[in-house]
Amino acid sequence: MPTQEKSRNRALVAVVTALIAALLVLGFVVNAQQTMPSTVNLYEVTPTEAVQYFTSGKIDIYLNPFALPPNVLSQLSTTPGIQMVSPSITSAYDLLFNPYPGNTTFNPFAYWQVRFLMNYLVDRSSIITQVFSGYATPMYSWPGPFALNSQLLVQPMIVQANIHYNPTYVNQSLFQIFQAINTTQNFDGMYNPWVGRILYINHEWYYIPPNSTTPQPVTIIFFIRKDDPFRYAIGQMFMSELEGLGFTVKPIYGDLSQALTIVYGSNPAQMEWSIYTEAWTIYPEPWDTYAGASFCASWTGDMPGWGVTGYWQYTNSTIDTLTTWAATGNFTSLQQFESYSKTSLYDCFQQAVRVWLVAATFPYPTQNLTNWMPSVFGLEWPLGIKFAYSTTHPNVLNVGMFHVSEFPWNNFGWFVSIDTYSFDVIQEFTSDPFAFYNPFTGEPMPIRGAWNAIISPNGSAIYPVPPDAVIWNATAEKWQSVGPGQYAKSIVYLYFNGTWLGQYWQDGQPISIADIIFYYYTWFDLAATTTTGAPDLGPNQATASDVGGIIAPTTSTIVGMLFYPNGTVVIYGDYWFPDPNFVAAFYAPGFPSFANPWVVQALQFYAYQQGKYAFTSGEAQSLSIPQADFRSPGFNQYLASVLQNWIKTGYIWDNGSWAIVNDGYNALGTNMTATAIQDYEDALNFYNTYGNFWISNGPYILKSISTVTPQSATLVIWNGYPYNYTYWFNQVFVRLGVTTVPTNLIPSITSVSPTSIYANETATLTVSISAVGNPEGYVYLINPATGQIIYETFATSTTPGVLTVTIPSNVTATLTPGTYELLTYAFTNVVTLPVQYVTSLTVSPPPPPPPPPTPPPPPPKPAPTVSTTLLIAIIIVVVVVVIAVGAWLAVRRRK
C-alpha cells in the first residue's frame, strides 16, 4: 500500500510539475524590456523635511506615510503635482507593559488588573482627533481589523467591557486594587511581598522596599519614541494621565535602535523600562490562524523575556497552550479552532500586556510616479514600487523613508523580529518572496512560485506518507526516512520550478534544490535547540532557542518531506485548517528568512557556531557578542575571510550531510566539493564587487547602506532579473480579475442615514460606502451605557456604494429613548479588508397615534312640505286680514 501510494504521488508530481512549468513559461512571453531605473536611492527623511524634499524634486515617493504628521499629509495632499495613492490599514499602535513581578521594586504593571485598567486611562478619541487628525480608528483588542473573522469571535465580549476614557473610574479602581495588595498575603494566587508597603502620601504613590523603612516613589520608566511624532504625542498624553494618578514618571526618549536594546534586548527583571510606545506594520488576513500568539504567547519570542535563555519570561499557560494548538493545526473542525481562538484572544485582552490604541490609515504621497501597484497593504508589499519609475527622470528613483534600516540584517534573527524599514528595502527591491498575501483580501497566495494543498475533510490523518520521505535528525546530523506506517492530515506541493530553479541568484549562481533543502534543514536544526539540541551549532546552541521556539511549532507538524531535483517539494504534515491556502502558506518558505543561496545561510550558521556572532539582540546580550548583520562591513569582512578559507580547504557545512535527502539523492551533485567551491567563488566575487553578502533574487542589488543618521542606501539594477511590470501585473492582478489599477482599494463609509429612528417601528438605514465592489458588512447596535449588543446582523448588497441595514420592529420595541451606538465593519465582495465605522443613532419614543378622523356633518334636513288645503286656508286668512286692516285705516281718516 505505501509503495503504491508513493508511485501515485510521484506520478502526480510529474504531471502537475509539467503543467506548472508550462504555465510559467507562458508567463515569460510578456517579459520584454520595460522602463526601470538603473539606480534607486533611499534617503532617511524626517517628517518635517518631507514637503521640502518633494517640492525640490529630491524624492519621488515617501514610503512610510505613517510617520508623517497629519498637517504634513494635508499639506502634501494640496501641493500641486503630488498624488496621494493606495491608502492602507497596516499600522497599529499599542502600549507595551513590563509585567515582571519584582520583590525589590514595586511594579504596578505586574498585576493584570492594573494593566487592564489602563484601557480606561487611554483617551482613544483624543488620540484619533488630536494626534492622527482622523486618520485612525479605535482599537481595543487584538486582532481588530487585521483579522476580521477572528475579531468577530470576541467582539461581544470586547463590547461588553465597555471600554471608554474614564480617569475617575481608573483612580477609584486603582485605590481598590492597591488596598487589596496592601492587605492580602496571597494576592491573585501569588505570594505578595508588598503587604503594608504601599502608601499614598500627598496625592503620590509610594512603596517601602524590603529591609527598608524609607518610602520610595512608585516610578514608571516610560520609553517614548521621540522619532515618531505620533508615538511622541501619545506618550506625552499618557504620561500626563499616569502623573494624574499619583505615579512618578521617568521618561526615556529614544528611537527604534535604542528600543531594540533597552526594551527588546533586556531582561524584564532588570526593570530598565515599564512602558513602551509600540507600533507595528501588520498585513491583514481573514483569520489569525495563530489565535493571537504573535502578540500574546510567550513561545513566539514577542512577549517580555523575548524567549532568551536566562531572562525572566512572561507566560500564560492557557494562552500558550491554546495558541500552540491553533498554530500547529491541533484541531479537527473550524468550530474547535474558533473555540481555541475565542478563549486565547479574550484572555490576551484581559491580561493586557499590550493595550491597543488605534489602527491608522495613511495614503502614500507620490510625484510623477508610474508603474506602482496598489494593495490593501498600501505600497509596502513585494510589488508595490518594485517596477515604479519617475516620468521626469526614469533612470533614477529617489525614495524617502522615515528610516532606511534599524534592525540588523540576518536571516535567522528575522524569525523573531524585523523592522518595517529593512523589510521595505528587501521586499520592494532586492528580493522576491515565494509567497505573500492576496492584495485584495489578505489571504495567503503564492507569488514567485505555485502550490497545491490537499487537506483531510475532517482534520484526521488519512494520507499515507511515503516511507522514503525524510525529516532532519539534528542529533544524528542527517536526513532520516520516516519509514512505513505514517499518515498525515495534509499534503502540500510547493513548486519552485521555473520561477526559482532555472533562474539565478544575483551572484550568478544557478538557483538549485540545494538552496531550498538547506533552508528547510535550518528549520529543523534551530527547532532542535528547544528539545534534543543541535550539536552542529556549537556550545551556544541552546541560546538559539529563542529562534527555535518560534520554528518548533511548525517543524513538529511535519511528518515527512520529499525533495525533487526539478524544484518540487512535497510536505506531509499534521497541520490542518479548512482553507487550503493557509495550510500551504504554513509550510511555504518564510520571507525574508528565505531570500538567499545556501552559502549565505551556511555562513551565518558558521558564525554562530564559532561564537563570533548571534542571530538576535537577546542572544547578543546574553552571549556578549555582536549580532550578525549584512549591513555591517565588519560582519561581511569576517564572512569573506571564512569563505576564502572554505575555498582553500573545500570545507562544506556539516560535511554536506544536509544535502543528502530521499533515497540518498545528493543536491550538491556527485562532486560536492567542486560544486560548493564554485558557489563560494561566486559569492566571494559578489562581495568583492558590492562589499556585502546580501545575495538575493530581486531586480536590485544592495550596493551600499549607511545606518548612521541620516541613513541612506543605494541599489543598482541587476540585469539578470527575469521579470518585469507586465509579467507581475498579469500574474497577480489580471489573474485575480482586476485589469485596471485603482488608486484606492480601502473601503470608506461616508454616511449613515437616517440618524434617528423610532422605537416600536422597523428602521431602515442606508450606509453609503465608497469602495471597489459590492458592499457587505457586520453591523452592531450597542447600548453605550452598558456595552450590551442589542442587535447584530450581516448585510449584503448588489448595488455598489449602498448597503441597506434593517432593524426589525421587535428589536426597536425593546429600546428605550436615548442615544445608541452603531458599529459597522464594512468591506466588499472584492476587497475583504474591513473599515470600522462608529456613529450615534438616536431612538425616539413612538410617535403619538393620529387623532381619530372627524365624522362627516349630517346631511341637511329636507324643507317641510305644505298641503294644498292648508295653503288655500292661509291665503283666505291673509285676504281677510288685508280687508279688515284697510277698513280700519279708512275709519280713522273720517273723524
Side-chain angles (χ1 to χ4, degrees):
M1 181 66 174
T3 303
Q4 292 172 346
E5 182 66 24
K6 179 174 71 174
S7 298
R8 285 198 298 269
N9 285 340
R10 288 181 169 171
L12 177 62
V13 168
V15 172
V16 176
T17 296
L19 290 173
I20 294 293
L23 290 172
L24 293 172
V25 168
L26 288 176
F28 299 155
V29 173
V30 299
N31 191 17
Q33 284 295 318
Q34 294 181 343
T35 300
M36 283 186 68
S38 58
T39 303
V40 175
N41 296 314
L42 308 175
Y43 301 108
E44 184 179 46
V45 178
T46 63
T48 56
E49 296 175 310
V51 174
Q52 187 268 331
Y53 266 67
F54 269 113
T55 55
S56 62
K58 292 181 180 178
I59 58 175
D60 307 307
I61 180 175
Y62 197 85
L63 194 54
N64 309 124
F66 55 80
L68 298 176
N71 65 309
V72 173
L73 284 170
S74 177
Q75 185 177 354
L76 286 171
S77 67
T78 58
T79 300
I82 304 296
Q83 186 182 19
M84 310 296 283
V85 302
S86 194
S88 66
I89 303 178
T90 55
S91 296
Y93 295 78
D94 70 275
L95 295 173
L96 173 69
F97 294 89
N98 184 344
Y100 174 68
N103 55 14
T104 58
T105 302
F106 178 66
N107 177 17
F109 303 123
Y111 305 94
W112 71 263
Q113 296 90 338
V114 177
R115 298 194 302 267
F116 185 77
L117 203 55
M118 296 301 100
N119 274 294
Y120 303 87
L121 195 64
V122 173
D123 189 351
R124 292 174 177 84
S125 178
S126 292
I127 290 174
I128 291 169
T129 56
Q130 297 177 23
V131 178
F132 288 91
S133 293
Y135 284 99
T137 56
M139 186 171 171
Y140 303 102
S141 67
W142 174 260
F146 298 101
L148 178 61
N149 293 338
S150 296
Q151 177 65 25
L152 294 175
L153 300 175
V154 292
Q155 184 68 21
M157 295 182 286
I158 305 302
V159 171
Q160 190 67 44
N162 198 20
I163 292 175
H164 59 283
Y165 174 61
N166 191 341
T168 301
Y169 168 73
V170 174
N171 193 42
Q172 294 170 348
S173 300
L174 193 67
F175 263 90
Q176 295 171 1
I177 295 170
F178 281 3
Q179 184 178 27
I181 294 172
N182 225 11
T183 58
T184 307
Q185 193 68 48
N186 288 291
F187 183 80
D188 204 23
M190 298 184 297
Y191 170 71
N192 177 19
W194 302 109
V195 173
R197 294 180 174 274
I198 310 300
L199 307 174
Y200 191 67
I201 305 172
N202 294 328
H203 307 290
E204 300 285 341
W205 287 106
Y206 290 83
Y207 71 98
I208 301 175
N211 304 317
S212 174
T213 58
T214 305
Q216 300 293 327
V218 177
T219 302
I220 308 300
I221 304 174
F222 194 178
F223 191 109
I224 299 172
R225 286 287 293 277
K226 68 179 181 180
D227 56 333
D228 180 341
F230 297 105
R231 282 186 276 177
Y232 179 82
I234 291 170
Q236 297 302 113
M237 293 172 66
F238 195 66
M239 181 167 63
S240 176
E241 298 290 351
L242 291 169
E243 291 171 337
L245 292 178
F247 291 125
T248 299
V249 181
K250 177 184 177 182
I252 298 176
Y253 297 102
D255 57 22
L256 180 56
S257 61
Q258 293 168 297
L260 179 64
T261 300
I262 295 173
V263 178
Y264 298 116
S266 71
N267 186 343
Q270 295 171 340
M271 288 299 296
E272 294 185 33
W273 63 281
S274 306
I275 313 175
Y276 172 56
T277 51
E278 270 192 325
W280 302 86
T281 295
I282 302 170
Y283 292 99
E285 297 183 71
W287 290 98
D288 179 354
T289 54
Y290 277 34
S294 297
F295 295 107
C296 312
S298 61
W299 59 265
T300 65
D302 285 318
M303 300 299 285
W306 322 119
V308 176
T309 302
Y311 283 10
W312 176 86
Q313 303 292 326
Y314 165 84
T315 60
N316 180 287
S317 59
T318 299
I319 294 174
D320 286 347
T321 299
L322 292 175
T323 54
T324 299
W325 288 349
T328 56
N330 189 11
F331 48 88
T332 57
S333 68
L334 180 60
Q335 291 72 27
Q336 190 176 8
F337 167 78
E338 289 177 341
S339 175
Y340 294 167
S341 296
K342 186 175 182 179
T343 301
S344 64
L345 289 172
Y346 182 72
D347 281 5
C348 179
F349 167 65
Q350 188 181 59
Q351 285 291 304
V353 176
R354 286 182 170 91
V355 169
W356 295 94
L357 307 176
V358 296
T361 304
F362 302 102
Y364 291 76
T366 67
Q367 183 169 237
N368 301 319
L369 198 69
T370 189
N371 275 15
W372 48 269
M373 298 191 201
S375 75
V376 294
F377 324 116
L379 295 181
E380 291 171 86
W381 71 297
L383 299 178
I385 58 171
K386 185 161 280 177
F387 305 97
Y389 65 92
S390 168
T391 56
T392 59
H393 46 85
N395 289 329
V396 178
L397 179 67
N398 297 312
V399 180
M401 302 179 68
F402 185 38
H403 300 297
V404 174
S405 176
E406 290 287 272
F407 286 13
W409 285 24
N410 75 76
N411 300 77
F412 307 111
W414 286 332
F415 279 108
V416 175
S417 185
I418 182 171
D419 64 286
T420 294
Y421 319 104
S422 297
F423 192 71
D424 281 345
V425 175
I426 294 166
Q427 71 169 343
E428 296 276 16
F429 301 110
T430 71
S431 312
D432 287 342
F434 178 86
F436 201 67
Y437 304 101
N438 184 307
F440 308 125
T441 68
E443 183 165 356
M445 66 176 289
I447 297 289
R448 185 167 171 171
W451 64 37
N452 179 41
I454 302 171
I455 60 173
S456 168
N458 59 2
S460 300
I462 62 174
Y463 301 115
V465 179
D468 63 339
V470 295
I471 58 173
W472 177 258
N473 185 320
T475 304
E477 298 186 32
K478 65 179 181 179
W479 293 98
Q480 290 185 333
S481 299
V482 300
Q486 300 292 321
Y487 290 84
K489 297 178 181 179
S490 59
I491 308 173
V492 173
Y493 298 86
L494 302 174
Y495 303 107
F496 297 84
N497 327 66
T499 52
W500 292 75
L501 272 72
Q503 306 300 329
Y504 295 85
W505 297 107
Q506 292 169 342
D507 65 349
Q509 292 181 50
I511 300 175
S512 74
I513 193 66
D515 301 310
I516 300 161
I517 292 172
F518 194 97
Y519 173 74
Y520 281 103
Y521 144 75
T522 67
W523 276 18
F524 287 98
D525 215 48
L526 288 166
T529 62
T530 66
T531 53
T532 59
D536 56 2
L537 285 176
N540 297 322
Q541 60 88 22
T543 307
S545 61
D546 58 340
V547 179
I550 296 171
I551 303 172
T554 301
T555 57
S556 67
T557 70
I558 297 178
V559 183
M561 302 183 69
L562 293 171
F563 298 95
Y564 292 89
N566 66 359
T568 298
V569 176
V570 185
I571 301 176
Y572 294 83
D574 277 340
Y575 178 72
W576 184 86
F577 196 78
D579 185 335
N581 284 322
F582 282 93
V583 177
F586 185 81
Y587 292 118
F591 183 79
S593 56
F594 179 60
N596 316 92
W598 74 268
V599 175
V600 172
Q601 300 174 63
L603 283 168
Q604 294 168 83
F605 261 36
Y606 183 83
Y608 185 90
Q609 179 206 61
Q610 296 296 308
K612 299 295 185 181
Y613 290 90
F615 297 136
T616 68
S617 60
E619 295 167 7
Q621 289 209 6
S622 179
L623 298 173
S624 298
I625 57 177
Q627 194 173 349
D629 187 359
F630 287 111
R631 308 171 309 165
S632 163
F635 177 65
N636 286 292
Q637 288 168 8
Y638 169 76
L639 297 185
S641 66
V642 170
L643 211 49
Q644 289 166 348
N645 182 62
W646 289 4
I647 292 172
K648 292 178 182 177
T649 62
Y651 173 89
I652 303 175
W653 174 260
D654 254 5
N655 296 316
S657 59
W658 56 267
I660 303 172
V661 287
N662 321 104
D663 295 328
Y665 168 71
N666 192 327
L668 289 178
T670 55
N671 191 338
M672 295 176 63
T673 303
T675 301
I677 290 176
Q678 181 61 59
D679 291 344
Y680 300 160
E681 289 176 345
D682 289 338
L684 194 59
N685 288 337
F686 182 93
Y687 167 77
N688 290 332
T689 303
Y690 299 104
N692 67 78
F693 281 96
W694 184 250
I695 303 164
S696 197
N697 65 342
Y700 292 96
I701 292 173
L702 178 67
K703 182 179 180 181
S704 65
I705 185 167
S706 172
T707 58
V708 178
T709 302
Q711 299 174 352
S712 63
T714 300
L715 313 172
V716 293
I717 197 165
W718 174 45
N719 292 324
Y721 186 71
Y723 309 116
N724 59 25
Y725 172 86
T726 301
Y727 171 82
W728 283 119
F729 187 83
N730 289 336
Q731 283 292 102
V732 177
F733 284 80
V734 175
R735 189 172 67 182
L736 294 174
V738 177
T739 57
T740 58
V741 179
T743 300
N744 179 9
L745 286 173
I746 303 298
S748 62
I749 296 178
T750 55
S751 67
V752 176
S753 62
T755 58
S756 178
I757 64 174
Y758 288 108
N760 250 355
E761 292 187 358
T762 297
T764 301
L765 307 176
T766 300
V767 182
S768 299
I769 301 178
S770 174
V772 176
N774 295 330
E776 302 175 354
Y778 293 93
V779 182
Y780 299 88
L781 182 64
I782 301 168
N783 184 335
T786 64
Q788 177 190 5
I789 295 178
I790 299 168
Y791 177 68
E792 59 183 283
T793 186
F794 177 68
T796 62
S797 174
T798 57
T799 304
V802 177
L803 186 66
T804 301
V805 178
T806 301
I807 305 175
S809 59
N810 66 322
V811 174
T812 61
T814 66
L815 304 179
T816 57
T819 301
Y820 293 79
E821 192 174 84
L822 194 73
L823 168 64
T824 303
Y825 287 110
F827 45 94
T828 76
N829 62 331
V830 175
V831 179
T832 58
L833 177 67
V835 59
Q836 178 181 305
Y837 187 83
V838 180
T839 189
S840 297
L841 188 65
T842 303
V843 176
S844 302
T854 304
K861 295 181 179 180
T865 58
V866 182
S867 67
T868 304
T869 303
L870 181 58
L871 181 59
I872 293 172
I874 293 173
I875 293 172
I876 292 173
V877 170
V878 173
V879 171
V880 170
V881 170
V882 171
I883 293 173
V885 171
W888 180 76
L889 290 173
V891 170
R892 284 201 48 110
R893 282 193 299 266
R894 285 193 298 265
K895 184 183 175 181

